[in-house]
């Protein structure tokens, strides 16, 4: 296979200095410290100097290994401080690794920020050339792409205005347009799409998708899981400088949301005694239309939530199984309960609820399993919040509920509704 | 997308074989950064480019007044303004290049922490910008020669060589100061001091021939002495004699400064993004 990027036991160490107030070293401190160290060495020749209390080592990346194949679109996700940016900086050669090795085949362009090197005093035209050169384009190449860049940025009228007079939206559009028209074999993009208005973001995403479709390799860092899911086919989850998971995007995204709990598509409670003595929760599962335990479902497929519970004594109250659906943002999407309420005799039961296809929007959902009763008084027998989860994905095929080449459509639900178009007059 | 793609290897402590190749590939960036700095400098100024003529011209007037009319220093048989200006040209080139290059990495910090390109380009284009200024103020020298009816002899043909030496001196010092300034911001304060101090210890307002012979070699430890003497020699022709031992020493130091400058810069360059 043609792997374009091979990363072997990559590590990056930073030394944190707790002493200096300013973020840069001053010569005076360096001299003072070396005199101090020297004096200490004279007093205790055997003492090691490694344990300097004012300096702490911090491994931003520790022993990272992965391979990226030609044409892969890889998302890098993780919490703040997980090492994503450091990884990108090393890949784009801005900073050097402390140890380890990377092999890259092909021309790399990295876009860690839009508009790097833009000068406010220069005009739009001048900045296009400058920024292009900084990103590694030749003058001829920029001149050839000039019209395309201007058209993409929609700033034709203001080409000869200094960019300091641009609105921030125009500024960002111009900056992205230059970068988007690079033609690298490998494109490294940091969270730069989180700028501009909705329409422009859509354009940018379309452009990125196009780049990927041309067989070029894209590495993309983002906090927006829906964007990563729709743009990337593979993902790498970093945490505290280490790779936690690497694989198909939806699995990795799921892992990220559930912070590494075992199989979020099924959860076994039989050993935990979840319940109040009347009812006990045993198991929860997410299944696809074929009855298999599944982490994800396509947007047009139904998905089933199943809960196994035990009624310990013949219940005097009407038990109502109910499921709570939360989005990845922690919003309650909806709560659903069994409508056929009945008195249950002792024994084990399975409660099952099917969510139809073409109902939930793409994204991740978390399900809480609960059992309640409402008479004589409201009582919660058990409630396991967000103990299961699944992903709804839109593979851009089959029933089209969203035009391809567009950003995710907002909203919790995205139902497939009956639409009608009639000519009123012609 | 063929098998013939180049392979890039990133490894700790690796001196990149690609470096000089990359420098060539990014050659247009030298031009673009210099072009940006020149464009930006005179935006929103009233007299614009005239500034780069006015400043050396006024300095020349003051130096002529102080050193020739007041201090009555010898002029080596050429009009004193020409003597001053032949030295002022390389000195101002050096001083500007040193200042601009020294601050260049800091003022482009944003670019350095976000994009890869050979960092050498940044101080180098700062030197190029000063070189453009140098060429512009060269017009004044030509004007002075016409005004005084002074005709240079064949020595002037060697001027490009001395310009090259001046360039090497500016580049060597610029690289050192730029790299040091990233890590130790003390150099921010050292730069203006060196420039001010250097003006007095370099033979700008006077001929280096007034320095007693026994001190000449010691005086030439200042590399700018060799550079300035070389300029005078080539511009003033037979009227200026070159003190060869000192000249060779100065030029030797320029070469050492340039080579060590490049080495030090290359060594620290990799950590710029981390410490800037």
């Amino acid at each position: 296979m043609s792997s374009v990027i091979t990363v072997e036991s990559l590590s990056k160490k930073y030394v944190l200095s707790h002493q200096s107030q300013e973020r840069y070293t001053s010569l005076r401190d360096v001299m003072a410290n070396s005199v101090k160290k020297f004096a200490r060495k004279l007093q205790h020749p055997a003492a090691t100097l490694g344990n300097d209390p004012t300096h702490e080592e911090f491994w931003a990346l520790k022993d990272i290994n992965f391979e990226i194949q030609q044409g892969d679109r890889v998302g890098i996700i993780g919490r703040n401080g997980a090492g994503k940016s450091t990884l990108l900086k090393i890949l784009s050669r801005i900073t050097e690794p402390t140890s380890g090795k990377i092999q890259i085949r092909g021309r790399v362009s990295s876009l860690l920020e839009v508009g790097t090197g833009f000068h406010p005093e220069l005009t739009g035209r001048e900045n296009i050339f400058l920024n292009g050169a900084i990103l590694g384009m030749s003058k001829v190449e920029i001149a050839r792409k000039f019209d395309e860049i201007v058209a993409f940025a929609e700033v034709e009228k203001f080409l000869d205005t200094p960019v300091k007079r641009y609105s921030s939206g125009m500024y960002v559009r111009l900056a992205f347009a230059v970068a988007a028209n690079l033609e690298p074999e490998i494109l490294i993009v940091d969270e730069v799409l989180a700028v501009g208005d909705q329409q422009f973001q859509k354009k940018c995403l379309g452009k990125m998708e196009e780049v990927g479709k041309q067989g070029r390799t894209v590495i993309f860092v983002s906090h927006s899981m829906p964007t990563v899911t729709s743009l990337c086919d593979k993902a790498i989850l970093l945490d505290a400088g280490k790779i936690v998971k690497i694989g198909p995007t939806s699995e990795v995204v799921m892992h990220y949301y559930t912070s590494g709990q075992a199989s979020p598509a099924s959860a076994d409670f039989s050993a935990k005694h979840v319940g109040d003595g009347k009812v006990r929760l045993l198991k929860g599962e997410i299944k696809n239309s074929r009855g298999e335990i599944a982490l994800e479902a396509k947007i047009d497929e139904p998905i089933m939530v199943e809960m196994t519970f035990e009624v310990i004594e013949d219940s005097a109250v009407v038990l109502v199984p109910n499921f709570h659906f939360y989005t990845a943002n922690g919003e309650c999407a909806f709560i659903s309960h069994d409508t056929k309420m009945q008195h249950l005799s002792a024994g084990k039961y399975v409660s099952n609820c099917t969510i139809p296809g073409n109902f939930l929007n793409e994204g991740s959902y978390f399900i809480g399993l609960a059992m309640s009763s409402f008479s004589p008084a409201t009582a919660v027998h058990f409630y396991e919040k967000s103990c299961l989860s699944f992903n709804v994905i839109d593979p851009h095929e089959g029933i089209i509920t969203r035009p391809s080449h567009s950003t995710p459509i907002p909203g919790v639900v995205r139902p497939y509704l009956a639409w009608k178009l009639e000519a009123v007059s012609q | 997308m063929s098998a013939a793609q180049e392979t890039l290897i990133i490894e700790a402590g690796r001196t990149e074989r690609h470096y000089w190749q990359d420098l060539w590939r990014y050659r247009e960036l030298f031009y673009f950064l210099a072009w940006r700095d020149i464009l930006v400098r005179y935006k929103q100024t009233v007299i614009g480019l005239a500034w780069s003529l006015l400043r050396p011209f006024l300095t020349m007037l003051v130096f002529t007044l102080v050193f020739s009319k007041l201090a009555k220093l010898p002029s080596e048989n050429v009009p004193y303004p020409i003597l001053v200006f032949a030295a002022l040209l390389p000195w101002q080139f050096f001083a500007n290049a040193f200042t601009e290059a020294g601050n260049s990495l800091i003022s482009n910090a944003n670019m350095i922490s976000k994009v890869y390109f050979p960092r050498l380009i940044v101080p180098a284009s700062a030197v190029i910008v000063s070189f453009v200024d140098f060429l512009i103020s060269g017009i004044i020298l030509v004007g002075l020669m016409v005004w005084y009816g002074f005709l240079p002899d064949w020595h002037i043909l060697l001027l490009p060589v001395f310009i090259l030496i001046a360039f090497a001196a500016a580049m060597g010092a610029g690289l050192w100061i730029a790299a040091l300034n990233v890590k130790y911001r003390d150099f921010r304060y050292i730069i203006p001091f060196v420039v001010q101090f250097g003006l007095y210890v370099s033979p700008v307002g006077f001929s280096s021939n007034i320095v007693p012979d026994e001190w000449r070699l010691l005086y030439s430890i200042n590399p700018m002495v060799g550079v300035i003497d070389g300029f005078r020699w080539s511009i003033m022709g037979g009227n200026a004699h070159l003190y060869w031992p000192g000249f060779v020493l100065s030029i030797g130091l320029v070469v050492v400064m340039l080579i060590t400058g490049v080495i030090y810069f290359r060594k620290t360059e990799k950590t710029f993004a981390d410490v800037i």
Side-chain angles (χ1 to χ4, degrees):
Chain A
M1 272 303 280
S2 58
S3 63
V4 282
I5 298 179
T6 314
V7 175
E8 287 164 37
S9 51
L10 184 76
S11 300
K12 172 77 182 175
K13 178 178 76 175
Y14 284 105
V15 177
L16 304 179
S17 173
H18 294 302
Q19 191 183 34
S20 57
Q21 297 289 306
E22 293 178 275
R23 67 192 193 104
Y24 46 81
T25 344
S26 98
L27 196 59
R28 187 195 61 201
D29 294 342
V30 171
M31 291 195 288
N33 282 337
S34 27
V35 170
K36 261 188 243 163
K37 266 188 192 167
F38 184 65
R40 223 184 299 157
K41 214 173 178 179
L42 282 182
Q43 288 169 334
H44 317 277
T48 52
L49 294 172
N51 321 328
D52 190 340
T54 60
H55 289 85
E56 192 188 323
E57 288 186 355
F58 167 71
W59 290 91
L61 288 176
K62 186 87 181 142
D63 206 22
I64 301 283
N65 291 285
F66 63 88
E67 269 185 33
I68 292 174
Q69 311 293 331
Q70 167 83 56
D72 273 357
R73 282 169 292 163
V74 182
I76 297 178
I77 56 178
R79 286 170 222 295
N80 288 329
K84 305 183 297 283
S85 298
T86 308
L87 182 58
L88 284 202
K89 279 190 174 181
I90 294 175
L91 282 174
S92 42
R93 290 199 284 168
I94 292 163
T95 181
E96 220 197 10
T98 309
S99 65
K101 187 177 171 185
I102 302 173
Q103 278 192 48
I104 300 177
R105 294 201 295 125
R107 178 174 154 181
V108 182
S109 273
S110 56
L111 199 56
L112 301 198
E113 181 192 65
V114 284
T116 307
F118 262 43
H119 199 291
E121 293 285 351
L122 297 181
T123 66
R125 185 190 305 277
E126 290 160 346
N127 268 309
I128 291 178
F129 279 94
L130 178 67
N131 192 233
I134 291 170
L135 294 172
M137 279 195 263
S138 72
K139 206 174 159 186
V140 182
E141 210 176 327
I142 304 166
R144 187 159 47 82
K145 297 232 157 178
F146 190 82
D147 291 338
E148 212 175 313
I149 292 172
V150 174
F152 190 88
E154 303 161 21
V155 290
E156 291 89 341
K157 269 191 265 172
F158 308 98
L159 265 183
D160 294 306
T161 311
V163 296
K164 67 176 174 184
R165 310 219 189 285
Y166 276 31
S167 73
S168 54
M170 279 157 65
Y171 184 92
V172 165
R173 283 208 303 273
L174 183 65
F176 187 84
V178 179
N181 283 288
L182 284 169
E183 278 179 349
E185 281 137 20
I186 300 165
L187 180 64
I188 299 178
V189 188
D190 202 350
E191 210 135 23
V192 288
L193 295 172
V195 291
D197 54 26
Q198 279 279 328
Q199 205 192 350
F200 189 70
Q201 279 191 28
K202 202 162 129 182
K203 231 167 134 177
C204 297
L205 269 175
K207 189 85 193 175
M208 301 253 308
E209 227 163 322
E210 199 184 302
V211 168
K213 289 220 172 91
Q214 286 160 354
R216 287 186 258 162
T217 311
V218 181
I219 300 177
F220 179 55
V221 161
S222 180
H223 278 111
S224 156
M225 294 305 145
T227 314
V228 171
T229 319
S230 68
L231 202 63
C232 305
D233 37 33
K234 268 175 80 178
I236 296 172
L237 173 59
L238 287 176
D239 187 36
K242 295 197 175 92
I243 292 186
V244 179
K245 198 168 170 67
I246 180 163
T249 310
S250 57
E251 272 178 36
V252 177
V253 167
M254 207 68 252
H255 195 93
Y256 171 74
Y257 278 135
T258 53
S259 308
Q261 286 166 17
S263 183
S266 83
D268 192 352
F269 299 94
S270 50
K272 280 199 251 175
H273 296 285
V274 178
D276 63 348
K278 289 195 179 84
V279 220
R280 215 180 121 199
L281 175 61
L282 295 176
K283 204 166 66 174
E285 277 169 344
I286 308 286
K287 289 180 174 174
N288 63 15
S289 50
R290 292 174 295 281
E292 305 152 350
I293 292 177
L295 262 176
E296 61 178 43
K298 290 182 185 163
I299 195 158
D300 55 347
E301 281 177 355
I303 197 154
M304 268 184 313
V305 181
E306 214 170 79
M307 162 169 95
T308 310
F309 59 93
E310 185 181 359
V311 177
I312 296 162
E313 54 189 56
D314 291 357
S315 72
V317 295
V318 176
L319 292 170
V320 184
N322 53 94
F323 298 153
H324 300 238
F325 292 79
Y326 281 83
T327 66
N329 304 329
E331 273 175 279
C332 182
F334 60 91
I335 297 171
S336 180
H337 62 86
D338 196 342
T339 43
K340 300 180 289 294
M341 305 178 187
Q342 47 202 306
H343 292 274
L344 298 170
S345 49
K348 287 183 186 173
Y349 297 85
V350 172
S351 189
N352 181 308
C353 141
T354 301
I355 303 152
N358 288 317
F359 170 63
L360 284 174
N361 199 353
E362 64 183 313
S364 298
Y365 295 89
F366 296 83
I367 299 109
L369 305 175
M371 182 68 76
S372 321
S373 57
F374 297 97
S375 57
T378 304
V380 177
H381 303 284
F382 60 77
Y383 176 39
E384 279 297 293
K385 198 175 182 223
S386 304
C387 59
L388 297 175
S389 52
F390 63 87
N391 254 350
V392 174
I393 56 162
D394 183 356
H396 298 264
E397 60 189 28
I399 299 169
I400 304 296
T401 47
R402 112 183 191 210
S404 58
H405 284 297
S406 69
T407 42
I409 295 171
V412 174
V413 293
R414 200 209 291 170
Y416 189 49
L417 303 176
W419 277 72
K420 215 158 67 175
L421 177 74
E422 277 169 18
V424 180
S425 69
Q426 244 166 359
Chain B
M1 326 261 146
S2 65
Q5 276 169 354
E6 51 179 309
T7 303
L8 173 79
I9 295 174
I10 303 173
E11 217 172 0
R14 188 185 182 90
T15 39
E16 272 169 62
R17 281 170 300 160
H18 294 285
Y19 193 79
W20 301 104
Q21 215 174 307
D22 271 349
L23 209 57
W24 174 247
R25 182 180 306 155
Y26 279 88
R27 63 192 178 276
E28 284 183 339
L29 195 54
F30 282 103
Y31 159 73
F32 274 115
L33 286 184
W35 169 75
R36 174 196 71 179
D37 288 344
I38 293 169
L39 268 185
V40 167
R41 184 151 38 146
Y42 297 118
K43 290 237 168 168
Q44 282 203 358
T45 60
V46 179
I47 61 167
L49 211 59
W51 277 116
S52 52
L53 291 172
L54 204 58
R55 281 192 312 167
F57 185 73
L58 294 177
T59 315
M60 185 267 301
L61 280 186
V62 171
F63 274 37
T64 306
L65 194 70
V66 171
F67 290 101
S68 173
K69 302 285 179 246
L70 299 179
K72 304 255 187 284
L73 291 176
S75 77
E76 312 225 352
N77 305 322
V78 291
Y80 210 86
I82 293 183
L83 178 98
V84 167
F85 211 80
L88 202 59
L89 265 182
W91 171 257
Q92 288 227 322
F93 170 44
F94 177 82
N96 287 341
F98 186 71
T99 312
E100 298 291 328
N103 294 318
S104 62
L105 290 172
I106 309 291
S107 47
N108 288 301
N110 181 38
M111 254 168 69
I112 284 168
S113 55
K114 295 292 182 193
V115 192
Y116 166 81
F117 53 87
R119 308 307 189 203
L120 203 63
I121 293 175
V122 175
S125 8
V127 174
I128 293 172
V129 171
S130 312
F131 186 68
V132 172
D133 271 343
F134 166 82
L135 292 179
I136 294 172
S137 30
I139 298 170
I140 298 179
L141 183 67
V142 176
L144 284 174
M145 285 174 161
V146 173
W147 177 263
Y148 287 102
F150 182 88
L151 203 65
D153 58 14
W154 62 270
H155 288 110
I156 196 81
L157 296 177
L158 286 173
L159 191 61
V161 176
F162 295 107
I163 291 178
L164 205 67
I165 296 169
F167 206 94
M171 191 68 113
L175 288 179
W176 266 107
I177 205 76
L180 285 168
N181 203 6
V182 171
K183 183 128 192 228
Y184 309 107
R185 299 291 158 94
D186 304 77
F187 285 90
R188 252 194 315 206
Y189 308 106
I190 295 178
I191 292 169
F193 174 72
V194 168
V195 169
Q196 206 177 28
F197 188 73
L199 185 61
Y200 295 109
V201 300
S202 303
V204 179
F206 49 87
S207 159
S208 50
N209 290 330
I210 63 166
V211 177
D213 278 350
E214 60 266 39
W215 296 106
R216 272 308 274 283
L217 200 60
L218 190 68
Y219 189 49
S220 300
I221 285 181
N222 171 3
M224 283 315 284
V225 171
V227 174
I228 289 170
D229 281 355
F231 262 75
R232 284 215 173 111
W233 179 79
S234 103
I235 290 167
M236 289 157 44
N239 297 306
H241 21 228
L242 207 51
Y243 172 66
W244 284 100
F247 180 72
V248 171
L249 176 66
S250 286
I251 303 313
L253 285 173
V254 167
V255 172
V256 169
M257 196 162 70
L258 179 63
I259 293 172
T260 54
V262 172
I263 293 171
Y264 182 72
F265 191 89
R266 290 282 291 116
K267 217 180 86 191
T268 48
E269 179 181 32
K270 294 162 205 149
T271 59
F272 283 172
D274 296 337
V275 294
I276 207 159

